[in-house]
Amino acid sequence: MSTSRPSEPGGAALDETDRLLLGRLARDGRASYAEIGLLVNLSATAVRRRIDRLRARGIVRGFTVVLDPAVLGWQTEAFVEVYCRERTAPEEILASLRKFPEVVAAWTVTGDPDALVHLRALDTRHLEAVIERIRKEPGVQRSRSSVVLSRLIG
């Protein structure tokens, strides 16, 4: 009985070893090949080859640093609906939003807005400045914001 799935992105299916490896990378992108190898029962060299193949297939698209907003003092949080001009591609929205370290996450969505953006900022003045800079991006027509008062879950 095979544990791979036939329709994975990037071509051939992922096996259980790939899934374990990806799970470890998702938890700690700085884990060494040797550490991952212990988890998946492979040598560091074999882990590196697998990661290189996953990158070549586009399954692993990169490694990044995830900042803790609280350490930066960014206690103010908001969700911003972004409304774009006609024919603004998701790639254009992504390229614009990547300029802002205050963007925690962003999604294209159904309904009236084109994207939903999660922001963190130092205070409301910082938040306002970021929203204004986003609104000046090419393709952005307007925005609507909701500031988080308290976190109930998560």
Side-chain angles (χ1 to χ4, degrees):
M1 180 179 198
S2 173
T3 59
S4 64
R5 297 180 191 157
S7 58
E8 297 288 346
L14 297 175
D15 63 17
E16 189 60 28
T17 301
D18 288 334
R19 282 191 182 75
L20 288 170
L21 186 150
L22 291 169
R24 178 68 168 118
L25 280 177
R27 285 188 307 281
D28 181 6
R30 293 187 60 176
S32 71
Y33 297 140
E35 290 172 318
I36 296 169
L38 290 173
L39 173 71
V40 298
N41 201 28
L42 291 174
S43 69
T45 304
V47 169
R48 180 172 185 240
R49 280 195 304 264
R50 279 186 177 251
I51 291 173
D52 287 346
R53 279 196 305 263
L54 292 167
R55 289 187 76 194
R57 291 171 56 195
I59 294 168
V60 174
R61 293 185 284 180
F63 301 88
T64 188
V65 173
V66 178
L67 301 175
D68 181 350
V71 172
L72 297 172
W74 292 0
Q75 300 294 329
T76 304
E77 195 170 8
F79 288 89
V80 180
E81 294 177 344
V82 176
Y83 299 81
C84 297
R85 290 173 176 73
E86 286 187 39
R87 297 187 183 100
T88 301
E91 295 80 21
E92 292 176 63
I93 299 169
L94 175 61
S96 290
L97 294 175
R98 278 197 167 144
K99 299 174 187 175
F100 301 94
E102 297 87 352
V103 173
V104 175
W107 306 268
T108 54
V109 294
T110 61
D112 291 334
D114 295 290
L116 180 64
V117 181
H118 182 195
L119 294 177
R120 289 271 192 144
L122 183 62
D123 54 24
T124 54
R125 182 172 290 157
H126 180 195
L127 181 65
E128 182 179 21
V130 173
I131 293 169
E132 287 305 314
R133 288 185 2 244
I134 289 172
R135 291 175 66 176
K136 290 178 182 175
E137 284 294 309
V140 175
Q141 188 172 23
R142 65 185 178 94
S143 67
R144 188 170 83 181
S145 306
S146 297
V147 175
V148 174
L149 298 177
S150 64
R151 185 177 291 263
L152 299 175
I153 297 175

